[in-house]
Amino acid sequence: MIVAAKTPVVVPSLLAGDLSRLGEQLDSVKAAGCSWVSVDVMDGHFVPNLSFGPDFVILAKKHGFFVDAHLMVANPEAAAPWFASAGADIVTVHVEAVKDVKSALRGIRALGRKAGLAAKPRTPIDAILAVLDECDLALVMAVEPGFGGQKFMADMMPKVSALRAAVDARGLDCWVQVDGGVGLLNISQAVAAGADSLVAGSAVFGEKDPVAAFRALEAKARAADGD
Ligand code: DX5
């Protein structure tokens, strides 16, 4: 099956949002053309941080976004249904956390949501390639998950390219996502490696002017894609 290449999408992460005015921030980037946001879910066990519950997916859906819920949790099979019923369009689990990867991904699709699979930096990309046909999104972490504002790990880009090659060779309709330390200095490298979904927290909501920051990232990503 030939699947049209996807134009790279910049996906602001709520993790860097100002919780006292998150709705306002969401509306502002939406007005600038942002259509997809990422909700980083952390349980203090799989990663040493605690973040959002399903209510933040509900908030983002209320503001009209396509939403991926990135579950950095020790028991993703138990948590996935909560985020699916909160309206997440994509529920992404970590290959390191699930007991049975194929059944976890099929379980998410059975809930009527798209299934994402993420790999931490030290996890070989073969762990995702082995079940890529079951994925609607494949996520390469460019930082150790748990906190925003970390340094982008450029040595993760070969994993992105391996995913890109497999998605294209198999004609899969699957996003290739990069998350962690994405910003103006490295987004072109991530797109050139084959990413078409770029999660950015600090580089958007961590900036004084998130709208300008979003627009600059998007322009850079599209330029790198030859737009
Ligand atoms: C890490 C988080 C972050 C977040 C993006 O666990 O997943 O990568 O989404 O944060 P920045 O863009 O600030 O690295």
Side-chain angles (χ1 to χ4, degrees):
M1 175 174 90
I2 303 288
V3 176
K6 300 176 189 327
T7 304
V9 179
V10 175
V11 181
S13 156
L14 270 57
L15 194 68
D18 175 347
L19 296 189
S20 68
R21 54 194 187 89
L22 195 51
E24 216 181 285
Q25 287 187 314
L26 287 172
D27 289 341
S28 63
V29 292
K30 188 151 189 298
C34 177
S35 59
W36 176 357
V37 293
S38 182
V39 177
D40 283 308
V41 181
M42 301 177 184
D43 66 355
H45 297 283
F46 182 70
V47 292
N49 196 358
L50 207 52
S51 64
F52 304 127
D55 286 353
F56 284 84
V57 170
I58 292 170
L59 172 76
K61 291 304 294 176
K62 252 192 213 141
H63 285 265
F65 286 92
F66 182 85
V67 179
D68 77 68
H70 174 194
L71 305 189
M72 290 165 272
V73 301
N75 188 351
E77 290 96 332
W82 304 344
F83 289 87
S85 52
D89 300 279
I90 303 178
V91 178
T92 299
V93 295
H94 266 265
V95 67
E96 303 88 355
V98 289
K99 294 166 195 64
D100 176 334
V101 187
K102 269 194 186 163
S103 107
L105 295 166
R106 288 175 181 168
I108 293 166
R109 283 179 163 176
L111 295 168
R113 303 299 183 205
K114 293 184 181 300
L117 188 61
K120 298 199 305 188
R122 277 193 285 274
T123 301
I125 201 60
D126 294 349
I128 295 187
L129 291 172
V131 291
L132 195 57
D133 298 46
E134 312 281 343
C135 299
D136 302 297
L137 179 144
L139 166 51
V140 172
M141 291 303 294
V143 296
E144 268 309 316
F147 297 91
Q150 301 179 75
K151 191 172 174 329
F152 179 81
M153 297 166 72
D155 55 348
M156 292 295 113
M157 292 306 102
K159 291 166 80 171
V160 175
S161 302
L163 281 175
R164 176 81 276 139
V167 166
D168 293 349
R170 301 183 206 179
L172 299 175
D173 185 6
C174 176
W175 291 98
V176 176
Q177 188 177 67
V178 171
D179 174 2
V182 172
L184 279 177
L185 298 179
N186 57 49
I187 195 164
S188 307
Q189 189 182 357
V191 170
D196 48 22
S197 172
L198 296 309
V199 177
S202 317
V204 177
F205 290 131
E207 291 294 321
K208 268 194 309 301
D209 181 347
V211 170
F214 171 78
R215 286 193 170 121
L217 283 167
E218 191 170 62
K220 200 117 199 233
R222 290 187 172 171
D225 192 45
D227 275 6

